[in-house]
Amino acid sequence: MHLTLEFGGGLELLCESVKFHNVNVDLPKGADKLSMRDLLAWVRTNLIKERPEMFMKGESVRPGVLVLVNDCDWELSGQLDTTLEEKDVVVFISTLHGG
Amino acid sequence: MHLTLEFGGGLELLCESVKFHNVNVDLPKGADKLSMRDLLAWVRTNLIKERPEMFMKGESVRPGVLVLVNDCDWELSGQLDTTLEEKDVVVFISTLHGG
Amino acid sequence: DANLAHGLSADSIYRYSRHLLLPSFGVQAQSNLLKSSILVVGAGGLGSPALLYLAACGVGRLGIVDHDVVELNNMHRQVIHTEAYIGQPKVKSAAAACRSINSTIQIVEHKQALRTSNALEILSQYDIVVDATDNAPSRYMISDCCVVLGKPLVSGAALGLEGQLTVYNYKGGPCYRCLFPTPPPTTACQRCSDSGVLGVVPGIIGCLQALEAIKIASDIGEPLSGRMLLFDALSARIRIVKIRGRSLQCEVCGENTTFNQQQFKDLDYEKFTQSPLSTSLQKLKLL
Amino acid sequence: DANLAHGLSADSIYRYSRHLLLPSFGVQAQSNLLKSSILVVGAGGLGSPALLYLAACGVGRLGIVDHDVVELNNMHRQVIHTEAYIGQPKVKSAAAACRSINSTIQIVEHKQALRTSNALEILSQYDIVVDATDNAPSRYMISDCCVVLGKPLVSGAALGLEGQLTVYNYKGGPCYRCLFPTPPPTTACQRCSDSGVLGVVPGIIGCLQALEAIKIASDIGEPLSGRMLLFDALSARIRIVKIRGRSLQCEVCGENTTFNQQQFKDLDYEKFTQSPLSTSLQKLKLL
Ligand SMILES: [Zn+2]
Ligand SMILES: [Zn+2]
């Protein structure tokens, strides 16, 4: 499944400072759909190059990270259970506190 | 065909100050597709309530109006010959000069 | 005559004429603005443009909270301060700048650090709060205080080459804790003083904060509640995304919350976020 | 040491430290900025924030062109001017404000209306031009002049509750005429003085103009060329759209153009657009 992943608010530093990733993610063995739970595991294995604790906590993202699926907060689509579709755009962004 | 039309930069004043229009446009008789040429004629008949010369010149838009189909300048898609598809978003915006 | 009916003086009619001419703003919105009061917490990178535009547009009473002094390394982004004010309180410098561009509105100086001990008393004096601070504990404290007092909060942030903006606690919309119930790890809470920031980025976000505060105060348009603006200066990309609504489970604004003024006063936000409210107060402690 | 190698003084290192800390900006970009020169045409609603942030960030030489004087009805949006300067030239007022926030850069005052007779001479002294004017003939004249001189042009506009922004004539991208080969009818050319503008809207666009000029001057990121930002303050919506590239048929920058400095000097932009370059000059003629 082709997806566009975007990292922002400093999270790109965990992926060798690359903000945009066009990726092709295989469905998990025996599954007929890809969930955000699956995608997070895939991202952690394939894209996060350092300090994974700055990205994840347990099986979800760490506190302070917003997840957006097609410009919409994943809380509105089922969070970890959100089903992804071909060409979806998923954004991971760390909330900023500076001024 | 369902389209979203948006007017900006003052052009909304020609449509009773309404910026967003969700419209349903029929294909021209005998035609199997809708072009921007057809849409402009439809807009002029159905949405423009006053001073049509502020919107059109000849069969195109007047100088100073940008036309965007799905966030892309219509010059890049064939201008009047652009073929529209279901759920397309068309923006008509007058260029501003103020500061 | 509509202007007189709304109590606008001849000088005000001339000063704000470009607002009065606007069909979608006009006398009613300007009159609303002149009767409103807005508090800006922080006279730094975000607060500088927010204060300049809020003063210029004719907010009736404009409050400024800050305990810091102007330093040379602020000048690249904190454009409300001049070199002549280096070493002096930011509140004093910002208030002087606001008065110099609009002598007809009331400017209130709160030269103190915002803390649980004074926040209720200060915020309760204003209709709208603008969060222009630079650290996580302040953001939780200000949002919680706005919930307890029922004030809308215009929240902006900037770091590096990115910015974020939203409106919290507005007409049933989410609060800061609805989005961020658990504080981030302290290692994720970078400040401009540690990590740097391109000066004009808080400039853009601060102007957008002024706009949202003006829209709420004058009662025009659709404020950015339930939506968040994400700005990336380097690639010139801006997303406006849909965020969750008020959370029924929110500890501060949810259905079964018991959070009140006393609990607010007793909460230790530095402990809660494991992060200091202010680097300069920290510096003082170390001295 | 990298800072010394780039010729940054100890004071500059301290002043710009938040820029130097930024991995994607750093010493190289700051050094590029300090060596650059930028001209802002118009010290009004767009020029005010653009000039403040360009001065603050450390552009080496900053030019200001304006022939107007500060009026009370400017104050709601032109935040670079203070009430004390009412009746005085905007260039003088803006230059004083820029110097007060950064005394270490060069500020050049061009107290004159930009015309075909002086534009080539003035614009040729700068690397980058910021169009912060308020009328159609000036926009054509400045773009044509930038094409003839090969200068990138950061163009912003604001009216009512909307704003627009793009970069013209940058690395093979389109010029103003590529987009607008034929001038609009004069009835479509509203000015802020006729139709009104919410003050903070040019504030936002002017800050974004400063950002784009900084990106070009410091050689970082992707400037907004071939793209246009459309801002709607009322609904808090921002679109960044893809626009056409350079037109081969463009009369000024196209393949077979013969447009040159002499033709530029001879062109009557007021006649071309059927619209006056300046309302205040028009007022003078009527007196
Ligand atoms: Zn809440
Ligand atoms: Zn051209």
Side-chain angles (χ1 to χ4, degrees):
Chain A
M1 182 177 287
H2 289 90
L3 301 170
T4 302
L5 308 183
E6 189 180 329
F7 296 82
L11 292 180
E12 71 279 7
L13 298 175
L14 311 177
C15 319
E16 298 178 320
S17 296
V18 178
K19 288 197 159 182
F20 301 93
H21 300 257
N22 286 302
V23 300
N24 194 355
V25 181
D26 292 331
L27 294 188
K29 278 197 185 76
D32 57 354
K33 60 192 182 70
L34 184 77
S35 70
M36 274 303 301
R37 185 178 282 104
D38 304 324
L39 180 64
L40 281 182
W42 186 91
V43 167
R44 172 154 180 174
T45 306
N46 294 280
L47 292 183
I48 305 293
K49 301 297 179 189
E50 53 177 303
R51 291 179 290 161
E53 74 282 3
M54 290 298 290
F55 182 62
M56 288 185 76
K57 187 173 178 182
E59 67 172 353
S60 191
V61 292
R62 70 152 167 84
V65 172
L66 283 177
V67 182
L68 307 159
V69 180
N70 301 326
D71 283 351
C72 194
D73 191 343
W74 74 338
E75 288 284 336
L76 300 168
S77 57
Q79 234 210 30
L80 285 168
D81 297 323
T82 307
T83 300
L84 294 167
E85 293 180 20
E86 186 70 20
K87 292 192 182 169
D88 275 354
V89 178
V90 182
V91 177
F92 302 98
I93 195 150
S94 180
T95 182
L96 304 177
H97 308 98
Chain B
M1 182 177 288
H2 291 90
L3 301 171
T4 301
L5 308 184
E6 188 180 330
F7 296 82
L11 291 180
E12 70 279 8
L13 299 175
L14 310 178
C15 318
E16 298 177 323
S17 296
V18 178
K19 288 195 160 185
F20 301 93
H21 300 257
N22 286 302
V23 300
N24 195 353
V25 182
D26 292 332
L27 294 189
K29 278 199 183 76
D32 56 355
K33 61 190 180 70
L34 185 76
S35 70
M36 274 301 303
R37 185 178 283 106
D38 304 323
L39 180 64
L40 280 182
W42 187 92
V43 167
R44 171 155 180 172
T45 306
N46 294 278
L47 293 182
I48 303 294
K49 301 296 179 189
E50 53 178 303
R51 289 180 290 160
E53 75 282 4
M54 290 297 290
F55 181 63
M56 287 184 76
K57 186 171 177 184
E59 66 172 355
S60 192
V61 293
R62 71 153 167 83
V65 172
L66 283 178
V67 182
L68 307 159
V69 180
N70 301 324
D71 284 352
C72 194
D73 190 342
W74 75 337
E75 288 284 335
L76 300 168
S77 56
Q79 235 211 30
L80 285 168
D81 296 322
T82 307
T83 300
L84 293 167
E85 293 180 19
E86 186 71 20
K87 293 190 181 171
D88 274 353
V89 178
V90 183
V91 177
F92 302 98
I93 196 152
S94 180
T95 182
L96 305 176
H97 308 98
Chain C
D1 168 273
N3 292 329
L4 285 176
H6 283 87
L8 291 180
S9 68
D11 257 19
S12 289
I13 291 168
Y14 186 52
R15 180 188 284 270
Y16 304 118
S17 56
R18 300 305 180 254
H19 288 170
L20 304 177
L21 275 169
L22 263 179
S24 43
F25 200 81
V27 179
Q28 182 62 58
Q30 186 65 48
S31 172
N32 292 344
L33 259 190
L34 288 165
K35 287 175 192 144
S36 72
S37 56
I38 301 181
L39 179 71
V40 177
V41 187
L46 298 165
S48 287
L51 284 164
L52 287 173
Y53 281 98
L54 290 173
C57 77
V59 168
R61 187 157 44 86
L62 185 58
I64 315 170
V65 189
D66 205 301
H67 70 279
D68 230 340
V69 297
V70 180
E71 295 181 66
L72 178 59
N73 62 10
N74 301 147
M75 308 297 299
H76 80 112
R77 72 181 188 282
Q78 303 184 14
V79 298
I80 203 169
H81 308 301
T82 57
E83 291 177 1
Y85 275 94
I86 288 175
Q88 296 198 56
K90 284 187 183 176
V91 156
K92 191 179 158 193
S93 163
C98 289
R99 287 189 191 106
S100 74
I101 61 174
N102 195 344
S103 60
T104 69
I105 64 166
Q106 197 187 337
I107 313 282
V108 186
E109 303 179 29
H110 302 276
K111 201 185 86 185
Q112 47 199 306
L114 199 71
R115 306 217 149 259
T116 50
S117 53
N118 60 13
L120 288 163
E121 193 246 321
I122 295 175
L123 268 64
S124 63
Q125 301 167 39
Y126 297 88
D127 303 328
I128 299 164
V129 178
V130 174
D131 185 343
T133 63
D134 68 348
N135 62 80
S138 292
R139 291 180 183 276
Y140 278 99
M141 180 177 72
I142 292 167
S143 176
D144 287 359
C145 192
C146 284
V147 171
V148 165
L149 295 172
K151 309 278 182 190
L153 172 61
V154 181
S155 182
L159 189 79
L161 290 138
E162 289 183 70
Q164 297 172 355
L165 171 79
T166 189
V167 173
Y168 291 116
N169 200 42
Y170 178 70
K171 293 192 176 169
C175 83
Y176 191 69
R177 292 235 208 183
C178 293
L179 258 81
F180 306 110
T182 311
T186 48
T187 42
C189 296
Q190 299 163 314
R191 291 163 191 256
C192 298
S193 49
D194 305 326
S195 310
V197 63
L198 184 66
V200 71
V201 175
I204 292 160
I205 300 295
C207 283
L208 288 165
Q209 286 184 279
L211 170 63
E212 291 305 312
I214 290 167
K215 283 160 66 181
I216 296 171
S218 61
D219 195 22
I220 63 155
E222 303 158 43
L224 203 71
S225 165
R227 294 184 290 161
M228 185 179 281
L229 182 146
L230 307 171
F231 177 60
D232 181 356
L234 213 49
S235 60
R237 283 163 56 103
I238 300 177
R239 285 175 186 279
I240 294 171
V241 301
K242 189 170 160 52
I243 55 174
R244 68 200 75 173
R246 177 157 288 190
S247 163
L248 299 177
Q249 285 78 47
C250 177
E251 284 196 27
V252 170
C253 80
E255 257 186 337
N256 301 310
T257 182
T258 57
F259 195 79
N260 58 23
Q261 299 204 1
Q262 191 56 51
Q263 279 185 279
F264 171 77
K265 277 191 199 164
D266 295 342
L267 210 159
D268 183 336
Y269 285 89
E270 298 193 316
K271 206 170 153 190
F272 174 62
T273 58
Q274 299 189 290
S275 169
L277 274 162
S278 153
T279 39
S280 61
L281 288 180
Q282 200 183 22
K283 271 186 273 173
L284 281 176
K285 283 182 196 161
L286 293 173
L287 289 176
Chain D
D1 166 272
N3 292 330
L4 285 177
H6 284 86
L8 291 180
S9 67
D11 257 20
S12 290
I13 291 168
Y14 186 52
R15 177 188 286 269
Y16 304 118
S17 56
R18 300 307 180 251
H19 287 170
L20 304 178
L21 275 168
L22 264 179
S24 42
F25 200 81
V27 178
Q28 181 62 57
Q30 186 65 49
S31 172
N32 291 344
L33 260 190
L34 288 165
K35 286 175 194 145
S36 73
S37 56
I38 300 181
L39 178 72
V40 177
V41 187
L46 297 164
S48 287
L51 284 164
L52 287 173
Y53 282 97
L54 290 173
C57 77
V59 167
R61 186 158 44 86
L62 185 57
I64 316 170
V65 188
D66 204 302
H67 70 280
D68 230 340
V69 296
V70 180
E71 294 182 66
L72 178 60
N73 62 10
N74 300 148
M75 308 296 299
H76 80 113
R77 72 182 188 283
Q78 302 185 15
V79 299
I80 203 169
H81 307 301
T82 58
E83 291 178 0
Y85 275 94
I86 288 175
Q88 294 199 58
K90 285 187 183 176
V91 157
K92 191 179 158 194
S93 164
C98 289
R99 287 189 191 107
S100 74
I101 60 174
N102 196 344
S103 60
T104 68
I105 63 164
Q106 195 188 338
I107 312 282
V108 185
E109 304 178 28
H110 302 277
K111 201 185 84 184
Q112 47 198 305
L114 200 70
R115 306 217 148 260
T116 50
S117 54
N118 60 13
L120 287 162
E121 194 246 321
I122 296 175
L123 268 66
S124 63
Q125 300 167 40
Y126 297 88
D127 302 327
I128 299 164
V129 178
V130 174
D131 184 344
T133 63
D134 68 349
N135 62 80
S138 292
R139 291 180 183 278
Y140 278 98
M141 180 177 70
I142 292 167
S143 177
D144 287 359
C145 191
C146 284
V147 170
V148 165
L149 295 171
K151 309 279 182 188
L153 171 61
V154 180
S155 182
L159 189 80
L161 290 137
E162 290 183 71
Q164 298 173 354
L165 172 78
T166 190
V167 173
Y168 291 116
N169 201 43
Y170 179 69
K171 292 191 177 172
C175 82
Y176 191 71
R177 293 233 207 183
C178 292
L179 259 80
F180 307 110
T182 312
T186 49
T187 43
C189 296
Q190 299 162 315
R191 290 164 193 255
C192 298
S193 49
D194 307 324
S195 310
V197 63
L198 183 66
V200 70
V201 175
I204 293 160
I205 300 295
C207 282
L208 288 165
Q209 286 183 281
L211 170 63
E212 292 305 312
I214 290 167
K215 283 160 67 181
I216 296 171
S218 62
D219 195 21
I220 63 155
E222 301 159 45
L224 203 71
S225 165
R227 295 184 290 160
M228 184 180 280
L229 182 145
L230 306 172
F231 178 60
D232 181 357
L234 214 50
S235 60
R237 283 163 55 102
I238 300 177
R239 285 175 187 280
I240 294 172
V241 301
K242 189 169 160 50
I243 55 174
R244 67 199 76 172
R246 176 156 289 189
S247 162
L248 299 178
Q249 286 77 45
C250 177
E251 284 195 28
V252 170
C253 80
E255 258 186 337
N256 301 312
T257 182
T258 57
F259 195 78
N260 58 23
Q261 299 204 2
Q262 191 56 51
Q263 279 185 277
F264 170 78
K265 278 192 201 165
D266 295 341
L267 211 158
D268 183 337
Y269 285 89
E270 299 194 316
K271 203 169 156 191
F272 175 61
T273 59
Q274 298 190 293
S275 167
L277 273 162
S278 152
T279 39
S280 61
L281 287 180
Q282 199 182 22
K283 273 186 272 174
L284 282 177
K285 282 182 197 161
L286 292 173
L287 289 176

